[in-house]
Amino acid sequence: TAATPAVARATSPAGITSIRKTIAARMLESSTQTAPVTLHRRCDASNLVNLRRQFQSLGVDGAPPPPTFTDLIVKLVACVLADFPEIRTQWLPTGPFLPPDLDLAVAVDTPLGLLAPVLRQVERQTVRQLSATLRSLADRARAGKLSAEDLSGGCFTITNLGSLGVEHFTPIINLPQVAILGLGRIATEPVAVEGEVRLREQLPLSLTFDHRIVDGGPAARFLGAVAKAIENPGPWLMP
């Protein structure tokens, strides 16, 4: 008679760490406890690209690195969030809570997994201060040196996959927040401007929000305001 095939013993996949298990639990919690809807739109990032080039042109030996696109957009989003309290509300077991400060989380890809350290009081920091703080947080995240405090308390999250070539995607809400903004790849594309076809830098934006708490109209208006701030960043970044 044919031998009965041996049944392989189940084992845990290699690389499943405690942090990976925590991330998995939080992602599942977000998917099952929210009513997520994602809005996609593009905006003209040509002025933002030019602004960053101006920062780059000021670079000298020993000077800090110029702000990244993420640094600039974090500041712009914080400015816009000040006018959209429903988007920056935390939904706690006791009910809705509006944090007094604009503390924004920024997703960081690390060897340990996806982490989202929180930038405190973004509205009170300059772009250069934000850039230095985010760079420090990202370095500590990749080195596994973040504290629980570094990862808690944010009222909104920004995640950027543009550097990896991604255009549109569907980010997952970072509970207890009610919305998250995804940034795609900035690409030069032909666009009709004042009756002429011109090459402009286009940035895809993806906003996921909890429809239990925020309706489509306010979410769309917020995303439109973010797009306008990116298209004309100078006035928003002035003290």
Side-chain angles (χ1 to χ4, degrees):
T1 60
T4 302
V7 178
R9 179 175 296 178
T11 59
S12 298
I16 301 299
T17 63
S18 59
I19 291 180
R20 183 73 261 166
K21 292 178 181 178
T22 300
I23 294 172
R26 288 182 59 82
M27 295 298 99
L28 181 61
E29 182 183 15
S30 178
S31 297
T32 57
Q33 295 187 13
T34 64
V37 176
T38 303
L39 306 179
H40 302 286
R41 68 169 291 166
R42 290 174 180 259
C43 67
D44 190 331
S46 300
N47 289 333
L48 187 73
V49 171
N50 290 334
L51 178 61
R52 184 166 186 270
R53 286 173 180 163
Q54 293 176 40
F55 276 106
Q56 290 175 314
S57 68
L58 296 175
V60 295
D61 292 339
T68 66
F69 289 119
T70 299
D71 298 334
L72 295 169
I73 293 174
V74 165
K75 181 64 175 180
L76 293 171
V77 169
C79 294
V80 175
L81 276 173
D83 295 327
F84 288 86
E86 65 272 36
I87 302 295
R88 56 187 173 92
T89 296
Q90 295 177 342
W91 196 258
L92 304 177
T94 55
F97 170 70
L98 183 61
D101 297 313
L102 292 171
D103 299 338
L104 271 63
V106 179
V108 178
D109 182 24
T110 80
L112 300 175
L114 183 66
L115 301 176
V118 178
L119 289 158
R120 307 293 174 183
Q121 298 181 338
V122 175
E123 74 277 15
R124 302 184 185 183
Q125 298 190 50
T126 66
V127 170
R128 288 195 179 278
Q129 289 172 333
L130 277 176
S131 180
T133 303
L134 182 53
R135 189 165 57 252
S136 174
L137 284 172
D139 289 343
R140 289 165 53 202
R142 296 185 182 102
K145 296 181 179 180
L146 291 178
S147 66
E149 177 66 20
D150 292 326
L151 298 168
S152 64
C155 68
F156 188 83
T157 297
I158 296 174
T159 177
N160 187 351
L161 291 179
S163 61
L164 299 177
V166 174
E167 294 185 356
H168 296 285
F169 60 105
T170 305
I172 297 177
I173 297 169
N174 184 12
L175 293 177
Q177 301 168 19
V178 302
I180 180 172
L181 178 67
L183 308 177
R185 177 176 65 94
I186 297 177
T188 304
E189 299 180 5
V191 178
V193 179
E194 298 179 351
E196 298 181 359
V197 176
R198 301 178 184 175
L199 293 177
R200 306 288 292 179
E201 304 291 345
Q202 298 295 295
L203 168 61
L205 303 174
S206 301
L207 177 72
T208 298
F209 64 97
D210 188 347
H211 211 319
R212 300 176 308 159
I213 302 159
V214 180
D215 289 331
R221 285 189 286 272
F222 168 74
L223 187 58
V226 170
K228 289 182 179 179
I230 292 173
E231 290 171 352
N232 188 27
W236 291 88
L237 299 178
M238 295 179 63

